[in-house]
Amino acid sequence: MEWRPDILGADFQSYSFQARGDDGTERTATLIRYSPAGVEAELRLQRRAVLFLHGWSDYFFNVELAAFWYGKGFEFFALDMHNHGRSLQEGIPGGYVADLADYDPEIAQAIGIINALGSRNSPPPSLTLMGHSAGGLVAALWVSRHPGAARQLVLNSPWLEMHGSTLVRRVAWTMVEPIARFKPEAVLRLPERGFYWRSISNTAEGEWALDDKYRPPMAFPVRAGWLSAVLAGHAQVARGLGIEIPILVLLSGASANGLFWTEEMRRTDAVLDVNAIAIRALALGRSVTLERIEGGLHDVFLSPPKIREDAYVRLSRWIRGYVQDQDQ
């Protein structure tokens, strides 16, 4: 296992690996580790770890989030899933996946790598799985298929439902499914909106340094097979996932959607219908905590400083209540 210096600087290392899917396909994924200078190679106490899954057409870059979890006593890891970020391969469509379960092998392998970093005499760390947007959907579905693999689930603006209602999703499914069946990589001609990127990139009106190759301003092209896979995931959530572990869902206080930029997009979720997500979150499991972050962006931890400070305070409170109590 060869950890290499990461694009985020001296405190980060990354390791690319191959994961074989049920269909026999080898897919490249990249595990990123927060390892502050001077910290030994093995996990400090091998007690707690968090694995973060990014959203669609995205990658891991939030060094502040890594430092937060590390300060709470967690080893922090993030996974750039196949066809995203550090794992992009030439000639393969960025962001494409035909079935969200195709991510399962690389998530399982990443957890195996995390477990192997500890000493042989220590038990595996208590794992918290965290996901943002489409990564939140992937994380929720993965936990439901692998009970007992994680102790807590944290979802940051998870994409659990389409805009509006179940009816909208069903209509979209009817239109997309025939195309996905016969031409899964066909590009759907949908309106391009770079409003969220505009609100976070420091080359526009945000404060975050983004690599446009990994996080394109207009996102990757929407392909029929990918959208069909997401809609299938939404349908699974709507039926109920029955997750038994504690779940935290963080959402902006409001949404602002439209074909043109508005000032409201500086302080709202410009991607998802947060009210629809809030309702759907109740179908995840038996113990769901919902936190609404007033003024929050689509990724609440990329919001302006005062707003994301509020998000971190709420996350800290949940950790004290649900993680530390389980450790006792």
Side-chain angles (χ1 to χ4, degrees), residues 57 193-198 203 211-213 215-219:
S57 195
R193 302 188 312 152
F195 302 145
Y196 172 55
W197 175 90
R198 176 176 171 176
T203 62
D211 188 320
D212 288 354
K213 178 178 68 175
R215 209 295 172 207
M218 294 296 177

Side-chain angles (χ1 to χ4, degrees), residues 151-221:
R151 297 285 299 278
Q152 295 88 24
L153 179 63
V154 177
L155 303 177
N156 171 11
S157 301
W159 191 15
L160 303 179
E161 184 58 279
M162 294 294 286
H163 289 274
S165 66
T166 302
L167 178 61
V168 174
R169 169 167 44 83
R170 289 174 177 169
V171 170
W173 174 272
T174 301
M175 298 172 62
V176 169
E177 198 276 334
I179 305 173
R181 187 184 309 167
F182 297 105
K183 294 183 178 181
E185 294 188 16
V187 174
L188 303 179
R189 302 301 177 185
L190 301 175
E192 293 185 338
R193 302 188 312 152
F195 302 145
Y196 172 55
W197 175 90
R198 176 176 171 176
S199 71
I200 63 174
S201 174
N202 64 0
T203 62
E205 300 179 40
E207 64 177 282
W208 301 91
L210 306 178
D211 188 320
D212 288 354
K213 178 178 68 175
Y214 295 162
R215 209 295 172 207
M218 294 296 177
F220 295 126

Side-chain angles (χ1 to χ4, degrees), residues 191-318:
E192 293 185 338
R193 302 188 312 152
F195 302 145
Y196 172 55
W197 175 90
R198 176 176 171 176
S199 71
I200 63 174
S201 174
N202 64 0
T203 62
E205 300 179 40
E207 64 177 282
W208 301 91
L210 306 178
D211 188 320
D212 288 354
K213 178 178 68 175
Y214 295 162
R215 209 295 172 207
M218 294 296 177
F220 295 126
V222 174
R223 298 179 186 273
W226 169 80
L227 184 54
S228 177
V230 170
L231 293 171
H234 291 167
Q236 292 178 59
V237 172
R239 291 192 292 269
L241 297 185
I243 297 172
E244 292 290 336
I245 61 176
I247 304 167
L248 172 63
V249 178
L250 300 118
L251 293 172
S252 174
S255 296
N257 297 299
L259 297 178
F260 303 99
W261 169 265
T262 67
E263 287 301 302
E264 287 186 353
M265 293 175 179
R266 298 180 189 275
R267 52 185 178 273
T268 56
D269 189 323
V271 179
L272 301 180
D273 181 340
V274 293
N275 291 328
I277 302 301
I279 293 171
R280 192 60 74 214
L282 300 178
L284 293 174
R286 299 175 60 191
S287 181
V288 180
T289 302
L290 179 65
E291 292 282 3
R292 301 293 292 264
I293 312 300
E294 293 299 327
L297 298 177
H298 174 52
D299 183 334
V300 299
F301 296 110
L302 299 183
S303 303
K306 289 291 185 182
I307 306 301
R308 67 178 185 266
E309 179 182 341
D310 178 41
Y312 280 119
V313 167
R314 293 168 185 273
L315 176 54
S316 296
R317 182 174 61 192
W318 186 84

